Amino acid sequence: MKHPGQPRFAAVGETIELAPRDPNPDATYQWRIGDAPEQSDVTLGDDAVLSFRPDVAGRYTVLLSGPTGDHELTVRVFPSDKAVGGLAGGESGVSGASGQSGFRGQSGQWSGQFSGSARGSGTGSEGGDQRGRPRIQLSGGVEGDDVVVRATVKTSPTSDAADEDLDVEFVVDDRDTVPDGFETSDREATAPLDSVDDPFRIHAVALGEQYSVPDAVRVHPDGDVELLNDPPQWGKEMTLYEVYVRGYKEGDEDQSVFEVIQDNLGEIQDNGVDTLWLTPVLQHDGWDHGYNITDFFSVADDLGTEEEFSDLVDAAHDRGMKVLFDLVLNHSARDHEFFKRAQAGDPEYRDWYEWQDDGSPGTYFDWEYIANFDYTNLEVRRHLLDAVDKWAEYVDGFRCDMAWAVPTPFWQEIRERVREDHPEFVLLDETIPYIADFHNLAFDIHFDTTLYFTMRQIGRGEADADDVLDALEQRAVTGFPDHAGFMLYVENHDETRYVAECGREALEAAAAAQFTLPGVPMLYAGQEIGERNRRGHIYWEHAQEDLREYYQDLTYTRNTIPALQYEGDYEEVQYQCDDDMVTAFAREDDEGNRYVVALNFGGNAATVSFPDEDVDGYDEVRDEDVSAADGDATVENVAILYAGSE
């Protein structure tokens, strides 16, 4: 048995899942309260997986006894008025109820997404919690004879508080030894370097009107401070390409789907992409999307063999490409052997699934072909962890389906588990709306659903182009720290094609936004040629070649201008234009090189001027001068203009 994980942070009334990691389903596990605030009356049940709802603010020590001994877990609990999303006294979401849109995770993570949402983003709500979460980022290194970990804190954009008013709390991971001489102050944690004999982890939160998403570092004996919530470098640099495996291209009777995709890797790579996201490749119930899985350990017969899948991944690696495996853990298909046994009354498998009062399986949105797993069952956890172990050996990362519907601590366990053997492994979450707490040692990159919905509304003419900038601000409003990574997309297999809904002109502007805003851009196969079918066959023979070339120009421009990449600074700029389908912003790299980006979602060229910017009028995408007589630039869909350096 392994330790149950990193320290937990919550507010009074919020619910925390407690579960053993790497469980042995045949073993006995027992939770109990070690230390608790004097006024607390909280008790724990007898189950191996249970919910803990602290009743008093303070510091708790929870003990887990198992086959290899006892383990301590620190839980730091803040007063109820610091609760995230104002959920004190209530559950975080609904687990398994038909038609509900809650999720199974630590409390506060769902409803907090709707406070202060972007104007026109489609994700806002009236009367939400407007206090806002502060943000924290840790950094550090050797200073003199000490290793120093320093916290940089910021208030929410919706808060009137000042950064200096925020408090910071540090907690050393219970699994690690606290070095002699370790001390904490208002913004720093320090230890004499010669006392750091083994690596140890420090977790910290900022506390203001609410508590922040925690951040964490690992301090090494040589004084190196490892930033545990930073994505691997390749994850920051990737350009994703989603392949809907059963619709990408048709082969002949002598070729499997995997072989067809492998044969076309060169064509895919010509788009400037370097990472494949393959939709599910496991045995399924016959629906072509593949998300209703019937065997978590076997490759689907209609796609090819496991060896051919391995060959595809190897061929991608030979080209310097990475591969993301679509990981589906919330549910199985109802055609899965285990569910069939459960439905027939087999007691061994009945407890694998959630059940509603009417005897039907738990699900979401009335999806009738799947059944939600019951994560309080150790057999379920063991089965899925074993599947994770198998497929992590093949690929470079997981795109995690319905991440909001799986307990957050389970994702944290998976991330730590795969990183033990694969330090550069990346986890990408599909969560609608996005969840800031998922950046606490769970996921490296997040679907930017707010930006997605915003660009859809702009493309339909239902919002102004400036709402793109408001959508970016929602990352901070929701509580994501500045170092969180986002995947930028305008379509995928679940959505109507952007060009079909919004038109070619808007698509070109939206695509330019993907490749110039902070984050990781993703193309859905066929997007680059103007494909209008959401799923199924892509009509490559009817490709709009000029659109393909435009996407290639975008990828080339982004890849050659550091300011436009993942870590370049973002800033709003003053601009003048009579068209509300136009917006502009600036990006700047570490060397001070500055570029102004203008986006035009409308169908007519627009003249845009920048009174405070010294732009040169040369568009880096079109590779031509776009200077205008009465303004600084004529913008058809995008103009990327150099604006000097410091």
Side-chain angles (χ1 to χ4, degrees), residues 387-501:
V388 164
D389 289 347
K390 173 174 181 173
W391 300 114
E393 294 300 317
Y394 284 86
V395 296
D396 307 286
F398 293 140
R399 178 270 186 187
C400 301
D401 182 63
M402 291 180 66
W404 50 270
V406 173
T408 308
F410 195 68
W411 289 125
Q412 293 169 326
E413 177 178 1
I414 287 173
R415 184 178 188 265
E416 188 168 302
R417 186 183 187 89
V418 297
R419 288 279 180 89
E420 288 180 1
D421 295 325
H422 310 284
E424 297 295 303
F425 208 85
V426 164
L427 269 68
L428 164 68
D429 70 332
E430 182 217 22
T431 302
I432 304 173
Y434 47 36
I435 296 170
D437 286 275
F438 274 1
H439 202 68
N440 175 29
L441 301 176
F443 294 97
D444 303 291
I445 308 290
H446 316 277
F447 273 45
D448 196 333
T449 52
T450 298
L451 182 62
Y452 162 80
F453 284 116
T454 299
M455 289 205 286
R456 286 276 171 153
Q457 287 190 312
I458 296 170
R460 294 194 301 264
E462 299 170 1
D464 295 345
D466 280 346
D467 286 356
V468 164
L469 310 182
D470 292 344
L472 287 189
E473 187 177 342
Q474 282 310 292
R475 300 172 179 178
V477 169
T478 303
F480 281 101
D482 290 345
H483 57 288
F486 292 87
M487 187 195 79
L488 313 181
Y489 68 109
V490 298
E491 61 188 45
N492 60 33
H493 65 275
D494 283 327
E495 312 293 347
T496 304
R497 294 281 190 174
Y498 194 94
V499 70
E501 183 175 325

Side-chain angles (χ1 to χ4, degrees), residues 268-287:
I268 291 172
Q269 199 169 25
D270 285 344
N271 293 309
V273 302
D274 53 28
T275 304
L276 296 180
W277 155 22
L278 303 176
T279 55
V281 301
L282 301 182
Q283 294 283 22
H284 61 102
D285 63 358
W287 287 92

Side-chain angles (χ1 to χ4, degrees), residues 96-316:
S98 175
Q100 298 292 332
S101 57
F103 73 101
R104 298 178 288 186
Q106 193 159 316
S107 68
Q109 296 170 335
W110 174 270
S111 93
Q113 307 315 301
F114 294 98
S115 61
S117 293
R119 171 169 44 94
S121 70
T123 60
S125 66
E126 298 295 333
D129 188 334
Q130 297 296 319
R131 296 174 297 160
R133 299 184 75 175
R135 293 159 289 152
I136 188 170
Q137 184 169 1
L138 299 181
S139 60
V142 176
E143 298 182 12
D145 296 329
D146 297 330
V147 59
V148 179
V149 172
R150 187 168 288 107
T152 300
V153 296
K154 296 181 180 179
T155 60
S156 168
T158 64
S159 174
D160 293 330
D163 294 347
E164 54 266 27
D165 295 332
L166 298 173
D167 295 323
V168 175
E169 293 207 20
F170 296 94
V171 176
V172 174
D173 199 295
D174 301 284
R175 296 166 287 184
D176 302 329
T177 301
V178 180
D180 292 338
F182 177 79
E183 296 181 347
T184 64
S185 60
D186 182 41
R187 294 287 191 273
E188 294 180 356
T190 63
L193 183 59
D194 59 9
S195 72
V196 183
D197 297 324
D198 298 297
F200 73 101
R201 284 158 286 195
I202 299 174
H203 306 259
V205 295
L207 188 65
E209 297 163 332
Q210 297 177 324
Y211 64 93
S212 71
V213 175
D215 199 13
V217 297
R218 180 185 282 111
V219 179
H220 293 270
D222 63 359
D224 180 60
V225 176
E226 180 185 358
L227 309 179
L228 297 181
N229 278 316
D230 264 19
Q233 189 62 34
W234 75 265
K236 302 176 184 181
E237 298 170 350
M238 66 179 171
T239 301
L240 268 170
Y241 191 80
E242 181 191 359
V243 176
Y244 190 76
V245 292
R246 293 173 179 85
Y248 177 70
K249 278 192 177 179
E250 295 179 358
D252 55 37
E253 60 183 17
D254 296 325
Q255 271 195 311
S256 71
V257 172
F258 293 136
E259 289 173 325
V260 171
I261 296 172
Q262 181 175 334
D263 286 348
N264 285 273
L265 287 177
E267 181 178 321
I268 291 172
Q269 199 169 25
D270 285 344
N271 293 309
V273 302
D274 53 28
T275 304
L276 296 180
W277 155 22
L278 303 176
T279 55
V281 301
L282 301 182
Q283 294 283 22
H284 61 102
D285 63 358
W287 287 92
D288 64 3
H289 53 67
Y291 287 92
N292 304 347
I293 293 173
T294 58
D295 185 344
F296 286 84
F297 294 87
S298 298
V299 165
D301 294 334
D302 63 323
L303 297 179
T305 66
E306 188 169 325
E307 182 179 2
E308 288 167 339
F309 172 68
S310 179
D311 289 344
L312 167 59
V313 175
D314 288 344

Side-chain angles (χ1 to χ4, degrees), residues 7-8 10-13 16 32-44 52-63 72-78 174:
R8 308 292 184 82
V12 171
I16 299 168
R32 65 186 188 276
I33 299 294
D35 295 322
E38 183 177 350
Q39 300 85 357
S40 175
D41 296 321
V42 71
T43 59
L44 299 177
F52 169 44
R53 181 179 287 180
D55 57 350
V56 174
R59 188 176 292 238
Y60 296 73
T61 301
V62 181
L63 305 178
E72 295 185 355
L73 178 67
T74 296
V75 180
R76 176 64 175 98
V77 179
F78 304 112
D174 301 284

